[in-house]
mmCIF file of all heavy atoms in Angstrom:
data_model
loop_
_atom_site.group_PDB
_atom_site.id
_atom_site.type_symbol
_atom_site.label_atom_id
_atom_site.label_comp_id
_atom_site.label_asym_id
_atom_site.label_seq_id
_atom_site.Cartn_x
_atom_site.Cartn_y
_atom_site.Cartn_z
ATOM 1 N N HIS N 36 6.779 18.418 13.231
ATOM 2 C CA HIS N 36 8.140 17.682 13.212
ATOM 3 C C HIS N 36 8.965 18.519 12.394
ATOM 4 O O HIS N 36 10.090 18.894 12.741
ATOM 5 C CB HIS N 36 7.978 16.294 12.642
ATOM 6 C CG HIS N 36 9.295 15.713 12.369
ATOM 7 N ND1 HIS N 36 10.119 15.174 13.283
ATOM 8 C CD2 HIS N 36 9.949 15.616 11.127
ATOM 9 C CE1 HIS N 36 11.269 14.616 12.638
ATOM 10 N NE2 HIS N 36 11.129 14.954 11.346
ATOM 11 N N SER N 37 8.467 18.970 11.204
ATOM 12 C CA SER N 37 9.410 19.779 10.300
ATOM 13 C C SER N 37 9.768 21.116 10.807
ATOM 14 O O SER N 37 11.003 21.458 10.798
ATOM 15 C CB SER N 37 8.620 20.013 8.957
ATOM 16 O OG SER N 37 9.297 20.869 8.122
ATOM 17 N N VAL N 38 8.850 21.781 11.515
ATOM 18 C CA VAL N 38 9.062 23.150 12.142
ATOM 19 C C VAL N 38 9.997 22.958 13.395
ATOM 20 O O VAL N 38 11.006 23.780 13.494
ATOM 21 C CB VAL N 38 7.819 23.836 12.502
ATOM 22 C CG1 VAL N 38 8.158 25.075 13.231
ATOM 23 C CG2 VAL N 38 6.933 24.166 11.312
ATOM 24 N N CYS N 39 9.963 21.864 14.066
ATOM 25 C CA CYS N 39 10.853 21.676 15.174
ATOM 26 C C CYS N 39 12.235 21.436 14.695
ATOM 27 O O CYS N 39 13.215 21.956 15.274
ATOM 28 C CB CYS N 39 10.362 20.465 16.010
ATOM 29 S SG CYS N 39 8.933 20.709 17.129
ATOM 30 N N GLU N 40 12.358 20.682 13.585
ATOM 31 C CA GLU N 40 13.811 20.477 13.060
ATOM 32 C C GLU N 40 14.346 21.740 12.580
ATOM 33 O O GLU N 40 15.505 22.006 12.794
ATOM 34 C CB GLU N 40 13.632 19.399 11.911
ATOM 35 C CG GLU N 40 13.410 17.953 12.411
ATOM 36 C CD GLU N 40 14.531 17.276 13.049
ATOM 37 O OE1 GLU N 40 15.676 17.753 12.940
ATOM 38 O OE2 GLU N 40 14.252 16.276 13.765
ATOM 39 N N GLU N 41 13.524 22.556 11.898
ATOM 40 C CA GLU N 41 14.009 23.840 11.425
ATOM 41 C C GLU N 41 14.357 24.750 12.503
ATOM 42 O O GLU N 41 15.385 25.493 12.500
ATOM 43 C CB GLU N 41 12.876 24.581 10.578
ATOM 44 C CG GLU N 41 12.591 23.985 9.204
ATOM 45 C CD GLU N 41 11.361 24.546 8.572
ATOM 46 O OE1 GLU N 41 10.889 25.624 9.037
ATOM 47 O OE2 GLU N 41 10.857 23.854 7.782
ATOM 48 N N THR N 42 13.637 24.744 13.671
ATOM 49 C CA THR N 42 13.843 25.544 14.861
ATOM 50 C C THR N 42 15.156 25.085 15.572
ATOM 51 O O THR N 42 15.862 25.968 15.978
ATOM 52 C CB THR N 42 12.700 25.549 15.652
ATOM 53 O OG1 THR N 42 11.531 26.002 14.980
ATOM 54 C CG2 THR N 42 12.821 26.501 16.861
ATOM 55 N N MET N 43 15.329 23.840 15.609
ATOM 56 C CA MET N 43 16.671 23.286 16.212
ATOM 57 C C MET N 43 17.787 23.841 15.464
ATOM 58 O O MET N 43 18.794 24.385 16.092
ATOM 59 C CB MET N 43 16.630 21.792 16.170
ATOM 60 C CG MET N 43 16.000 21.156 17.326
ATOM 61 S SD MET N 43 16.214 19.388 17.415
ATOM 62 C CE MET N 43 14.935 18.771 16.273
ATOM 63 N N SER N 44 17.734 23.877 14.160
ATOM 64 C CA SER N 44 18.848 24.379 13.386
ATOM 65 C C SER N 44 19.093 25.926 13.686
ATOM 66 O O SER N 44 20.161 26.442 13.814
ATOM 67 C CB SER N 44 18.482 24.157 11.876
ATOM 68 O OG SER N 44 19.572 24.759 10.986
ATOM 69 N N ALA N 45 17.943 26.630 13.683
ATOM 70 C CA ALA N 45 17.971 28.126 13.954
ATOM 71 C C ALA N 45 18.527 28.316 15.371
ATOM 72 O O ALA N 45 19.428 29.235 15.584
ATOM 73 C CB ALA N 45 16.631 28.756 13.877
ATOM 74 N N CYS N 46 18.158 27.513 16.351
ATOM 75 C CA CYS N 46 18.698 27.663 17.682
ATOM 76 C C CYS N 46 20.231 27.375 17.712
ATOM 77 O O CYS N 46 20.882 28.132 18.437
ATOM 78 C CB CYS N 46 17.988 26.745 18.633
ATOM 79 S SG CYS N 46 16.368 27.340 19.160
ATOM 80 N N MET N 47 20.693 26.430 17.045
ATOM 81 C CA MET N 47 22.088 26.095 16.928
ATOM 82 C C MET N 47 22.885 27.215 16.421
ATOM 83 O O MET N 47 23.966 27.515 16.854
ATOM 84 C CB MET N 47 22.327 24.780 16.260
ATOM 85 C CG MET N 47 21.967 23.570 17.017
ATOM 86 S SD MET N 47 22.488 22.018 16.250
ATOM 87 C CE MET N 47 21.016 21.530 15.414
ATOM 88 N N GLN N 48 22.359 27.880 15.335
ATOM 89 C CA GLN N 48 23.027 29.079 14.798
ATOM 90 C C GLN N 48 23.081 30.194 15.841
ATOM 91 O O GLN N 48 23.968 31.117 15.637
ATOM 92 C CB GLN N 48 22.330 29.414 13.561
ATOM 93 C CG GLN N 48 22.511 28.398 12.358
ATOM 94 C CD GLN N 48 21.788 28.687 11.157
ATOM 95 O OE1 GLN N 48 21.066 29.702 11.100
ATOM 96 N NE2 GLN N 48 21.996 27.942 10.097
ATOM 97 N N MET N 49 22.102 30.300 16.653
ATOM 98 C CA MET N 49 22.092 31.362 17.641
ATOM 99 C C MET N 49 23.180 31.259 18.735
ATOM 100 O O MET N 49 23.601 32.145 19.316
ATOM 101 C CB MET N 49 20.765 31.438 18.416
ATOM 102 C CG MET N 49 19.645 32.080 17.739
ATOM 103 S SD MET N 49 18.227 32.397 18.828
ATOM 104 C CE MET N 49 17.178 31.062 18.449
ATOM 105 N N GLY N 50 23.621 29.987 18.883
ATOM 106 C CA GLY N 50 24.707 29.704 19.855
ATOM 107 C C GLY N 50 24.160 29.851 21.259
ATOM 108 O O GLY N 50 23.034 29.300 21.612
ATOM 109 N N GLY N 51 24.857 30.479 22.127
ATOM 110 C CA GLY N 51 24.566 30.557 23.551
ATOM 111 C C GLY N 51 23.197 31.077 23.828
ATOM 112 O O GLY N 51 22.674 30.840 24.933
ATOM 113 N N GLN N 52 22.557 31.751 22.986
ATOM 114 C CA GLN N 52 21.295 32.294 23.247
ATOM 115 C C GLN N 52 20.119 31.262 23.413
ATOM 116 O O GLN N 52 19.225 31.358 24.062
ATOM 117 C CB GLN N 52 20.873 33.247 22.066
ATOM 118 C CG GLN N 52 19.976 34.377 22.473
ATOM 119 C CD GLN N 52 19.731 35.333 21.293
ATOM 120 O OE1 GLN N 52 20.210 35.134 20.231
ATOM 121 N NE2 GLN N 52 18.848 36.290 21.400
ATOM 122 N N ALA N 53 20.326 30.144 22.620
ATOM 123 C CA ALA N 53 19.417 28.979 22.625
ATOM 124 C C ALA N 53 19.530 28.228 23.867
ATOM 125 O O ALA N 53 20.629 27.579 24.199
ATOM 126 C CB ALA N 53 19.589 28.139 21.503
ATOM 127 N N GLN N 54 18.530 28.229 24.807
ATOM 128 C CA GLN N 54 18.647 27.576 26.089
ATOM 129 C C GLN N 54 18.588 26.001 25.909
ATOM 130 O O GLN N 54 17.827 25.502 25.005
ATOM 131 C CB GLN N 54 17.504 28.079 26.979
ATOM 132 C CG GLN N 54 17.572 29.506 27.326
ATOM 133 C CD GLN N 54 16.338 30.053 27.910
ATOM 134 O OE1 GLN N 54 15.439 29.319 28.239
ATOM 135 N NE2 GLN N 54 16.344 31.316 28.277
ATOM 136 N N MET N 55 19.203 25.260 26.705
ATOM 137 C CA MET N 55 19.163 23.788 26.647
ATOM 138 C C MET N 55 17.746 23.334 26.761
ATOM 139 O O MET N 55 17.356 22.288 26.225
ATOM 140 C CB MET N 55 20.083 23.150 27.567
ATOM 141 C CG MET N 55 21.614 23.325 27.213
ATOM 142 S SD MET N 55 21.902 22.843 25.507
ATOM 143 C CE MET N 55 21.468 21.092 25.598
ATOM 144 N N GLN N 56 16.937 23.946 27.662
ATOM 145 C CA GLN N 56 15.580 23.486 27.932
ATOM 146 C C GLN N 56 14.796 23.575 26.547
ATOM 147 O O GLN N 56 13.972 22.644 26.230
ATOM 148 C CB GLN N 56 14.912 24.368 28.902
ATOM 149 C CG GLN N 56 13.412 24.075 29.106
ATOM 150 C CD GLN N 56 12.747 25.173 30.126
ATOM 151 O OE1 GLN N 56 13.372 26.096 30.466
ATOM 152 N NE2 GLN N 56 11.508 24.884 30.242
ATOM 153 N N ILE N 57 14.995 24.563 25.778
ATOM 154 C CA ILE N 57 14.252 24.683 24.503
ATOM 155 C C ILE N 57 14.779 23.558 23.547
ATOM 156 O O ILE N 57 13.960 22.910 22.871
ATOM 157 C CB ILE N 57 14.411 26.053 23.900
ATOM 158 C CG1 ILE N 57 13.852 27.166 24.697
ATOM 159 C CG2 ILE N 57 13.886 26.085 22.427
ATOM 160 C CD1 ILE N 57 14.135 28.535 24.342
ATOM 161 N N MET N 58 16.010 23.325 23.457
ATOM 162 C CA MET N 58 16.582 22.352 22.535
ATOM 163 C C MET N 58 16.055 21.014 22.974
ATOM 164 O O MET N 58 15.739 20.195 22.095
ATOM 165 C CB MET N 58 18.089 22.380 22.584
ATOM 166 C CG MET N 58 18.626 23.533 21.857
ATOM 167 S SD MET N 58 18.325 23.601 20.103
ATOM 168 C CE MET N 58 19.299 22.188 19.520
ATOM 169 N N ARG N 59 16.049 20.695 24.259
ATOM 170 C CA ARG N 59 15.538 19.303 24.700
ATOM 171 C C ARG N 59 14.015 19.206 24.250
ATOM 172 O O ARG N 59 13.682 18.260 23.722
ATOM 173 C CB ARG N 59 15.657 19.154 26.180
ATOM 174 C CG ARG N 59 17.090 18.762 26.630
ATOM 175 C CD ARG N 59 17.105 18.410 28.055
ATOM 176 N NE ARG N 59 18.448 18.435 28.584
ATOM 177 C CZ ARG N 59 18.945 19.509 29.243
ATOM 178 N NH1 ARG N 59 18.217 20.516 29.576
ATOM 179 N NH2 ARG N 59 20.195 19.461 29.592
ATOM 180 N N ALA N 60 13.299 20.255 24.534
ATOM 181 C CA ALA N 60 11.848 20.242 24.168
ATOM 182 C C ALA N 60 11.673 20.063 22.687
ATOM 183 O O ALA N 60 10.805 19.226 22.193
ATOM 184 C CB ALA N 60 11.130 21.498 24.668
ATOM 185 N N LEU N 61 12.432 20.709 21.871
ATOM 186 C CA LEU N 61 12.391 20.639 20.434
ATOM 187 C C LEU N 61 12.737 19.200 19.928
ATOM 188 O O LEU N 61 12.050 18.634 19.152
ATOM 189 C CB LEU N 61 13.363 21.532 19.726
ATOM 190 C CG LEU N 61 12.928 23.084 19.781
ATOM 191 C CD1 LEU N 61 14.063 23.942 19.437
ATOM 192 C CD2 LEU N 61 11.730 23.273 18.810
ATOM 193 N N MET N 62 13.798 18.539 20.530
ATOM 194 C CA MET N 62 14.159 17.223 20.148
ATOM 195 C C MET N 62 13.078 16.249 20.543
ATOM 196 O O MET N 62 12.716 15.423 19.822
ATOM 197 C CB MET N 62 15.501 16.913 20.868
ATOM 198 C CG MET N 62 16.711 17.520 20.251
ATOM 199 S SD MET N 62 18.199 16.901 21.007
ATOM 200 C CE MET N 62 18.766 18.412 21.809
ATOM 201 N N ASP N 63 12.586 16.311 21.737
ATOM 202 C CA ASP N 63 11.509 15.483 22.162
ATOM 203 C C ASP N 63 10.317 15.575 21.269
ATOM 204 O O ASP N 63 9.703 14.561 20.846
ATOM 205 C CB ASP N 63 11.048 15.700 23.598
ATOM 206 C CG ASP N 63 12.120 15.246 24.645
ATOM 207 O OD1 ASP N 63 13.070 14.609 24.286
ATOM 208 O OD2 ASP N 63 11.871 15.585 25.842
ATOM 209 N N CYS N 64 9.890 16.802 21.034
ATOM 210 C CA CYS N 64 8.701 17.038 20.179
ATOM 211 C C CYS N 64 8.948 16.504 18.739
ATOM 212 O O CYS N 64 8.047 15.950 18.185
ATOM 213 C CB CYS N 64 8.384 18.527 20.168
ATOM 214 S SG CYS N 64 6.764 18.937 19.478
ATOM 215 N N ALA N 65 10.102 16.800 18.118
ATOM 216 C CA ALA N 65 10.362 16.333 16.816
ATOM 217 C C ALA N 65 10.297 14.813 16.767
ATOM 218 O O ALA N 65 9.624 14.211 15.848
ATOM 219 C CB ALA N 65 11.719 16.797 16.321
#
Side-chain angles (χ1 to χ4, degrees):
H36 170 79
S37 176
V38 175
C39 283
E40 290 287 341
E41 292 169 17
T42 305
M43 279 189 272
S44 178
C46 285
M47 285 188 263
Q48 289 175 355
M49 280 192 262
Q52 211 176 353
Q54 300 169 0
M55 287 310 297
Q56 176 188 0
I57 295 172
M58 288 297 290
R59 281 189 198 99
L61 287 165
M62 286 186 247
D63 288 350
C64 190

